[in-house]
Amino acid sequence: MPPKQAERWRWHLKVALASAIAGASRLQHHATRAREQRRPLILGYHRVVQNFAEVARTEMPSMLISRSMFEQHIDWVGRTFRFVTLDEIGEHMLAGAPFVEPVAAVTFDDGYRDVYENALPVLKRKGIPAAMFVVTNLVGQPFWQVHDKLYHLMDKAFATWSDPQKRLFDVLSALQIPAADIFRNRSAFNSSMSATATMLPALSQMEVARVMTAIEASVGNGVAHIPQSLTWPMIHEMRRSGFTIGSHTKTHAWLPMESADVVWDELEGSKRALEEQLGEPVNHFAYPGGHFTQAVVDALSRAGYQFAYTACPHREPKYPQLTIERLLLWEGSSIDADGEFSSAVFNCQVHDLWPPARRCERLHA
């Protein structure tokens, strides 16, 4: 069977399985009640673009969702959940008062300008509050998000190198970075996206910079378009439009891989910059990549944050308000074999029924 046909059949099987799970009334009722009783639904996105297929040819696909797909997500959620602010969720958590109805919140990470251009109009039209977690050093600057630049370089390397795995191992070995410890699973080399996603959480910012310099020396740069970040005036307008503004560090560092001094600077420095600009306390934080350790959570508490958001079910018992679970989504989170929105797949995502066996591979120790 040709690879494209096999992939299409895998998507058909996925949707059929999701439909069977979502259609089982006992499971669906149990999941809905569990979601009501345990926690609110907090959706997490990164970039919202006009045309997913066009942008995904050059940008990291897992960071993208089209405006039309985003609106379908919001409409589907809105039929069952009431949209609330992160502050309202936080107030209930601090008071130990569960919601009496299903509630949901919408969040965005990194501070991309296309959220302002494509998501803000949708949310304003529908009267839905949201939150943006900002990488403060990039606001108003023509600089790369570190994950975007590494992905571009890795994508060019995969297209240039005849044996990407061997060449990348050679690059890391020359930098005295233990490649075998990072790439324990061969599936990490299925694509430049999976290789990038595997490598980033395992490296400090300094190591990422060294890796990018080495790859660029091998394959050249060859990238011109840098995804634009928000400006401060845009952030002020979003705040006036009902957005909660939170921190996502100064530079998007993967905090468990950094020293205690760097972690503190990333947490305290970003909070201070936002508070100076907004003239109000900044109480919310999102962990880059969803990665955290107890030491990072301790530092977050000392920095004065009240609420922080992860990307998995792991909780820190000492600080439940600083390890609040989110559901991170992109275009591929809810599609069928034809690339169209599948209510069955999305239903399973929202109600914790998909994937059937959830497993977290993020760093927490």
Side-chain angles (χ1 to χ4, degrees):
M1 182 181 297
K4 286 187 177 181
Q5 188 175 352
E7 179 65 20
R8 186 175 176 82
W9 274 107
R10 279 194 291 270
W11 273 107
H12 279 302
L13 179 61
K14 175 180 177 178
V15 173
L17 178 59
S19 298
I21 294 173
S25 59
R26 181 181 62 82
L27 285 176
Q28 189 170 354
H29 175 73
H30 170 75
T32 302
R33 293 297 301 162
R35 170 64 75 182
E36 271 187 63
Q37 295 167 1
R38 284 184 292 145
R39 66 199 186 283
L41 170 66
I42 304 179
L43 308 175
Y45 299 92
H46 291 87
R47 299 182 59 187
V48 182
V49 298
Q50 285 289 348
N51 187 316
F52 170 80
E54 179 180 337
V55 179
R57 285 200 291 266
T58 56
E59 309 291 338
M60 184 181 271
S62 61
M63 303 288 289
L64 309 173
I65 188 168
S66 64
R67 177 171 173 159
S68 61
M69 183 68 74
F70 172 70
E71 189 161 1
Q72 289 183 84
H73 282 196
I74 297 303
D75 289 344
W76 192 97
V77 171
R79 286 193 283 271
T80 304
F81 296 80
R82 177 172 67 90
F83 287 106
V84 298
T85 66
L86 292 184
D87 285 332
E88 186 174 347
I89 291 174
E91 290 170 4
H92 276 256
M93 293 188 69
L94 292 175
F99 285 95
V100 296
E101 60 183 328
V103 299
V106 181
T107 69
F108 302 91
D109 285 1
D110 299 342
Y112 287 103
R113 188 175 300 188
D114 45 39
V115 173
Y116 171 84
E117 296 167 341
N118 297 312
L120 178 60
V122 172
L123 295 168
K124 288 178 68 173
R125 172 163 45 86
K126 296 176 182 293
I128 297 173
M132 170 64 80
F133 297 105
V134 179
V135 179
T136 52
N137 277 13
L138 300 186
V139 176
Q141 302 297 324
F143 301 150
W144 287 97
Q145 296 272 358
V146 63
H147 42 273
D148 288 325
K149 184 172 183 180
L150 180 61
Y151 171 74
H152 276 269
L153 291 170
M154 288 293 294
D155 201 43
K156 185 170 185 183
F158 267 57
T160 303
W161 292 338
S162 58
D163 187 343
Q165 179 175 348
K166 181 181 183 305
R167 292 295 300 275
L168 185 56
F169 269 57
D170 290 343
V171 166
L172 296 178
S173 297
L175 298 173
Q176 297 184 323
I177 295 174
D181 291 344
I182 297 172
F183 294 100
R184 293 189 175 95
N185 193 331
R186 282 191 59 87
S187 65
F189 289 94
N190 288 347
S191 67
S192 55
M193 185 173 75
S194 58
T196 301
T198 300
M199 190 161 37
L200 274 172
L203 302 174
S204 68
Q205 288 276 51
M206 187 175 296
E207 289 171 326
V208 173
R210 293 171 60 214
V211 169
M212 291 193 295
T213 298
I215 296 175
E216 193 167 344
S218 173
V219 301
N221 188 333
V223 292
H225 174 70
I226 299 176
Q228 295 297 294
S229 296
L230 293 166
T231 64
W232 287 116
M234 291 174 182
I235 291 174
H236 284 290
E237 182 181 341
M238 294 171 78
R239 183 71 187 98
R240 290 192 297 270
S241 299
F243 264 72
T244 299
I245 305 300
S247 167
H248 203 43
T249 72
K250 290 171 62 176
T251 67
H252 204 289
W254 269 258
L255 296 173
M257 303 308 299
E258 304 292 347
S259 69
D261 288 343
V262 170
V263 168
W264 179 255
D265 182 57
E266 292 280 344
L267 299 179
E268 192 276 334
S270 60
K271 189 176 194 293
R272 177 163 30 87
L274 287 168
E275 290 179 341
E276 289 174 356
Q277 281 286 335
L278 298 172
E280 62 183 15
V282 170
N283 297 318
H284 300 270
F285 178 86
Y287 298 95
H291 297 263
F292 64 90
T293 62
Q294 182 175 339
V296 170
V297 181
D298 286 339
L300 199 71
S301 177
R302 293 197 306 273
Y305 293 95
Q306 286 189 292
F307 310 102
Y309 306 86
T310 70
C312 65
H314 281 93
R315 304 294 294 273
E316 176 56 53
K318 184 179 176 183
Y319 299 112
Q321 285 84 21
L322 295 180
T323 46
I324 302 171
E325 179 185 357
R326 284 189 301 166
L327 175 63
L328 296 185
L329 299 166
W330 64 292
E331 185 86 4
S333 299
S334 58
I335 60 173
D336 60 18
D338 297 315
E340 300 297 326
F341 176 74
S342 167
S343 61
V345 173
F346 194 56
N347 189 25
C348 287
Q349 291 268 18
V350 165
H351 290 126
D352 295 338
L353 298 173
W354 184 271
R358 299 183 68 194
R359 181 178 64 181
C360 175
E361 297 180 348
R362 289 175 169 85
L363 182 61
H364 301 303

